[in-house]
Amino acid sequence: MEILDYAFMQRALLAAVLVGITAPAVGIYLVQRRQALMGDGIGHVAMTGVGLGFLLSTSPVWTATLVSVLGAVLMELIRWYGRTRGDIALAMLFYGGMAGGVLFINLAPGGSNANLTSYLFGSLSTVSESDVTAICLLAAFVVLVALGLRRQLFAVSQDEEFARVTGLPVRALNLLTAVTAAVTVTVAMRVVGLLLVSALMVVPVAAAQQLSRSFAATFAVAVAIGVTVTIGGTVTSYYQDVPPGATIVLLTIAAFLVLTALAAPLARRRARALAAGGPPGDPAECAIPATRAPDGSVGV
């Protein structure tokens, strides 16, 4: 394929696949916790990290990771202790992150707001080898946490009180979820952009929930959607010369609409099956056989 003849597209496609895996893998826990917009908030904070990277002449991916993790921890602490004024504190954190990014990048030698654009909305041509190395390492951490601790994270996401009663370290797991979400934001910012990454964390999960009823199935379908739309958006961006982040997000929303349309007749079929007293067309051999008691009565 012509697209694979270019080194920058090879790097972009690899980054896109990793983003397609990691974003829904973390997003499923955020959706369960009703924190769908957490990725958006972390993206605002990560802008300060990007600006620091330019100011200090280091990799913006690693400085954005550090600042995002600190911001995610602060968000969790505010959620725990800021019961009355928590929303104001979060607003200041988000807006301060944006302002810090713009300030630092303009203070950097030769820096301007134009340097920030590729991080805000994604850019294929600027994904370097060092970026790919950082993305691979960070993606490995995200996948390890999302899969290795899936039972514990799911329990905490569903019911914190029940998880606490069962002996799980709820606060530590909440912090780990926040940190993993922060890492995911920095993984995705080179492909999707900081301002659009939250959509890739949430919408594939919402689309998968239209068809799936179990956590494992939703997880698998969401990751499949994420990989499909990131690759599709990256390829479309190359051939049509359109922004990759916006293209990926629009493809994700289109997938959600298609699956929602397909889910409607399936839901009606399930409703008819329940009204009829069981799934239609169940073979007779699947029925529970009757047993006869010693007194001659028939039971199940």
Side-chain angles (χ1 to χ4, degrees):
M1 293 178 63
E2 175 195 351
I3 192 173
L4 297 178
D5 293 338
Y6 300 97
F8 79 94
M9 283 307 301
Q10 295 174 10
R11 295 192 295 268
L13 285 170
L14 176 58
V17 170
L18 294 176
V19 170
I21 294 172
T22 55
V26 174
I28 191 170
Y29 300 110
L30 299 182
V31 171
Q32 293 292 328
R33 291 156 57 97
R34 293 177 176 85
Q35 294 180 330
L37 295 179
M38 184 176 186
D40 188 50
I42 295 174
H44 286 67
V45 176
M47 290 174 61
T48 292
V50 172
L52 278 175
F54 281 98
L55 181 63
L56 301 176
S57 299
T58 59
S59 171
V61 175
W62 289 114
T63 53
T65 301
L66 177 61
V67 174
S68 297
V69 168
L70 292 175
V73 172
L74 279 175
M75 289 170 64
E76 275 300 300
L77 293 176
I78 291 171
R79 189 172 73 89
W80 293 344
Y81 301 112
R83 301 294 183 184
T84 56
R85 313 289 288 184
D87 56 339
I88 297 177
L90 288 174
M92 289 192 294
L93 182 64
F94 299 161
Y95 299 141
M98 294 179 65
V102 174
L103 176 64
F104 290 144
I105 203 166
N106 278 278
L107 290 176
S112 67
N113 291 340
N115 301 116
L116 198 58
T117 303
S118 63
Y119 291 90
L120 294 178
F121 302 104
S123 176
L124 298 180
S125 60
T126 58
V127 179
S128 64
E129 291 186 7
S130 61
D131 289 336
V132 171
T133 301
I135 290 171
C136 288
L137 293 174
L138 295 172
F141 167 77
V142 172
V143 172
L144 183 64
V145 172
L147 291 178
L149 296 175
R150 62 188 182 280
R151 297 182 185 276
Q152 294 88 337
L153 294 177
F154 177 75
V156 173
S157 300
Q158 286 291 103
D159 191 334
E160 287 191 6
E161 292 303 322
F162 177 78
R164 187 175 289 108
V165 170
T166 58
L168 290 176
V170 172
R171 288 196 171 182
L173 289 171
N174 281 336
L175 276 176
L176 183 61
T177 301
V179 169
T180 308
V183 172
T184 304
V185 168
T186 55
V187 168
M189 69 179 181
R190 302 300 280 140
V191 176
V192 186
L194 292 172
L195 296 183
L196 299 173
V197 62
S198 185
L200 195 58
M201 298 171 73
V202 173
V203 180
V205 178
Q209 288 177 335
Q210 303 302 309
L211 298 179
S212 308
R213 291 294 179 267
S214 68
F215 175 80
T218 301
F219 190 101
V221 174
V223 170
I225 294 172
V227 172
T228 301
V229 297
T230 50
I231 292 178
T234 302
V235 172
T236 302
S237 176
Y238 171 77
Y239 285 109
Q240 301 299 323
D241 193 24
V242 291
T247 306
I248 290 170
V249 171
L250 290 177
L251 287 176
T252 309
I253 294 174
F256 171 81
L257 295 175
V258 170
L259 292 181
T260 300
L262 293 175
L266 291 177
R268 288 195 294 269
R269 183 178 178 183
R270 291 192 189 100
R272 287 196 299 267
L274 290 174
D282 278 350
E285 59 268 21
C286 289
I288 300 176
T291 58
R292 186 173 297 277
D295 60 357
S297 60
V298 177
V300 176

